Amino acid sequence: MNRELVFLRIFAVATVIGITFISLTAFKKSGNQKFSEIDVERINIVEKDGTVKMVITNVDRFPNGTSKINNRPTNADRKKRSGMLFFNEEGIECGGFIYDGRKTENGHSAGLSLTYDQYDGDQVMQLLTQDIGKGDKRSVSSTLAFNDRPDKESQLKTMEIMQELEVLRKKDPKAMEEKYKEYEAQGILGGVPRVMLGKSRSQNNGLFLFDDKGMPKAMFYVDKENNAKLDFYDETGNVMASFPEKKN
């Protein structure tokens, strides 16, 4: 009996020492870990305090309102896409990169978007490509755009307002439009393009400038017939001058 007790004691001590050794050697290893290949559905890049700074995700795990990131609700109206989301030091979303591409019933639909948001607001810069095919016709547009956003814009406030407007839209669409204009006048909602560089949907390649209401003011471009043009627009969006002048 004494021999058995001694054996059990020695075995228990040896087991504890072995487990301790394995644990220490397993977690003591430092430096970068090397992988030849890794499959993952989502990666959250975090700071030491747990603040999420970047999310790399597939379609199914793309955040769209069912979860919170940095204790803040995510956009429920955004369609899921594969890509990345960026967050600033305060945990507020500040931009992202998404893309897709698939065949449709009579063609295809593909696109890419890289955006940067103003602080606690929506996008003020966007690199956008859209590729739409229908039958034997194909339209491809690629632009770099710079936008104006409201000074008093807030992501959380915008989410609340959009929910309010959606409820109002179902009851009274006209009242919803008036309410939107009120928020726009207060500098809470809105946003307009100011500068676009690239290829438009009308297949014009050039520089396109807009006023603070989003109306076109000047365009310097090469059209699909390879003609170089410079157009100026009035407050209503009508061409008031062109170079070279249009021939009657």
Side-chain angles (χ1 to χ4, degrees):
M1 179 66 70
N2 290 334
R3 290 180 179 177
E4 292 178 355
L5 290 174
V6 171
F7 172 78
L8 290 174
R9 289 172 182 172
I10 294 174
F11 178 78
V13 172
T15 301
V16 171
I17 293 174
I19 293 174
T20 303
F21 175 77
I22 293 173
S23 299
L24 290 176
T25 54
F27 291 99
K28 188 177 181 180
K29 187 176 182 180
S30 60
N32 298 335
Q33 303 299 308
K34 183 178 180 180
F35 301 92
S36 298
E37 185 173 341
I38 182 171
D39 294 332
V40 62
E41 295 185 3
R42 174 167 158 172
I43 296 176
N44 298 326
I45 307 299
V46 301
E47 298 290 357
K48 289 184 178 180
D49 62 1
T51 301
V52 176
K53 297 302 294 294
M54 180 187 296
V55 173
I56 306 173
T57 179
N58 65 5
V59 174
D60 289 338
R61 293 185 176 273
F62 193 94
N64 68 336
T66 58
S67 61
K68 292 185 177 181
I69 297 179
N70 298 324
N71 295 318
R72 294 170 60 90
T74 52
N75 192 338
D77 298 326
R78 178 170 47 198
K79 190 172 183 178
K80 288 187 173 184
R81 291 285 191 270
S82 299
M84 296 184 289
L85 293 176
F86 313 130
F87 300 84
N88 63 20
E89 284 72 13
E90 297 179 357
I92 302 173
E93 185 179 333
C94 58
F97 168 64
I98 57 175
Y99 57 92
D100 65 3
R102 62 184 179 86
K103 287 186 176 181
T104 59
E105 185 176 349
N106 61 344
H108 68 266
S109 173
L112 175 149
S113 174
L114 174 63
T115 61
Y116 173 76
D117 302 336
Q118 73 175 15
Y119 174 77
D120 198 17
D122 209 344
Q123 58 201 36
V124 290
M125 186 188 77
Q126 182 179 29
L127 178 63
L128 178 67
T129 293
Q130 293 178 306
D131 182 353
I132 306 297
K134 292 184 179 180
D136 58 352
K137 295 183 179 180
R138 185 174 190 174
S139 173
V140 179
S141 62
S142 298
T143 57
L144 174 62
F146 299 89
N147 311 311
D148 277 353
R149 299 298 309 175
D151 292 337
K152 300 178 182 178
E153 185 178 46
S154 166
Q155 291 183 8
L156 296 181
K157 184 62 177 178
T158 299
M159 289 183 187
E160 294 178 5
I161 292 175
M162 297 312 293
Q163 291 175 358
E164 173 192 349
L165 294 177
E166 179 60 21
V167 173
L168 192 57
R169 183 189 66 82
K170 295 178 180 179
K171 296 180 180 179
D172 190 343
K174 187 175 181 180
M176 185 273 291
E177 293 179 3
E178 294 298 324
K179 194 66 176 179
Y180 184 95
K181 291 179 181 178
E182 290 181 17
Y183 285 123
E184 195 173 31
Q186 296 172 20
I188 300 175
L189 288 184
V192 295
R194 296 305 302 271
V195 179
M196 291 179 61
L197 177 65
K199 184 178 182 179
S200 68
R201 293 181 180 178
S202 57
Q203 306 304 293
N204 295 327
N205 290 270
L207 175 64
F208 310 93
L209 306 177
F210 305 82
D211 64 16
D212 60 4
K213 298 180 179 60
M215 297 294 293
K217 295 301 292 182
M219 297 185 181
F220 178 47
Y221 60 96
V222 175
D223 64 18
K224 57 186 177 181
E225 282 82 27
N226 290 322
N227 299 310
K229 296 183 179 181
L230 177 59
D231 295 335
F232 296 94
Y233 297 78
D234 60 20
E235 289 75 12
T236 60
N238 295 316
V239 177
M240 62 179 185
S242 294
F243 180 82
E245 295 184 2
K246 294 181 179 180
K247 297 180 181 180
N248 295 329

